[in-house]
Amino acid sequence: MSIVLNIANVLGLLLLILGFLYLLTLLFKKVFSKHKEKSFFHKLVYRLLVILSGTLICYVVSLNSIELNNKNTINSSVDNPSAITMNLHQNAEVKYLYDNKYVSLSFDNSVPSFRIKAIPSKNIKIVTIQKYKNAFMVNTVETTETIIKYSD
């Protein structure tokens, strides 16, 4: 589904750009031409339909978003904890969901860092939800569920 949305959005943007370029050339021909064109109205309607179809395609794509779900399981021990890294996208709206009893969130120079209380035989879950636009300007929601399993 993500490939279809990416292609549709690129097609919609291309139709918008071409429609506006064709409309500008038609208007320049109308203003600066000495002879009158008989089919000006038909050409104008055609260009406006191209612009309208590009706008509708982009609107439909903006209503639908790509949803990515990732699950990570990290096995760690209380005596020797493992480092956890998360990939954050640029200009993303990020939400973190976690258990406040065992996890605390702090920001060091706008970089989020988690402090986790390691308890033996306890699974701790951290969920990261990122909302951003991908390279094709399609809304994307990426949910990453990280489960940390502590052993004795």
Side-chain angles (χ1 to χ4, degrees), residues 92-150:
E93 179 184 318
V94 182
K95 292 182 184 177
Y96 301 101
L97 305 173
Y98 52 89
D99 190 0
N100 290 337
K101 278 186 196 174
Y102 307 109
V103 180
S104 64
L105 175 65
S106 64
F107 290 92
D108 301 327
N109 294 330
S110 72
V111 176
S113 62
F114 292 97
R115 307 279 185 248
I116 300 171
K117 295 179 186 175
I119 298 174
S121 302
K122 180 73 179 164
N123 294 342
I124 297 175
K125 182 167 76 169
I126 300 172
V127 178
T128 307
I129 302 170
Q130 300 182 64
K131 295 180 182 177
Y132 60 94
K133 290 188 181 259
N134 67 4
F136 297 102
M137 301 299 292
V138 177
N139 294 328
T140 306
V141 178
E142 183 175 344
T143 304
T144 305
E145 182 179 333
T146 305
I147 299 172
I148 306 165
K149 294 183 177 182
Y150 284 106

Side-chain angles (χ1 to χ4, degrees), residues 77-93:
S77 68
V78 176
D79 299 329
N80 189 12
S82 300
I84 302 169
T85 59
M86 294 182 187
N87 295 327
L88 299 178
H89 293 277
Q90 186 177 5
N91 297 328
E93 179 184 318

Side-chain angles (χ1 to χ4, degrees), residues 41-64:
F41 182 72
H42 295 291
K43 289 181 180 179
L44 180 68
V45 169
Y46 173 72
R47 266 94 170 164
L48 290 176
L49 283 175
V50 170
I51 292 172
L52 181 67
S53 64
T55 305
L56 285 175
I57 290 172
C58 289
Y59 177 72
V60 168
V61 169
S62 70
L63 291 178
N64 299 312

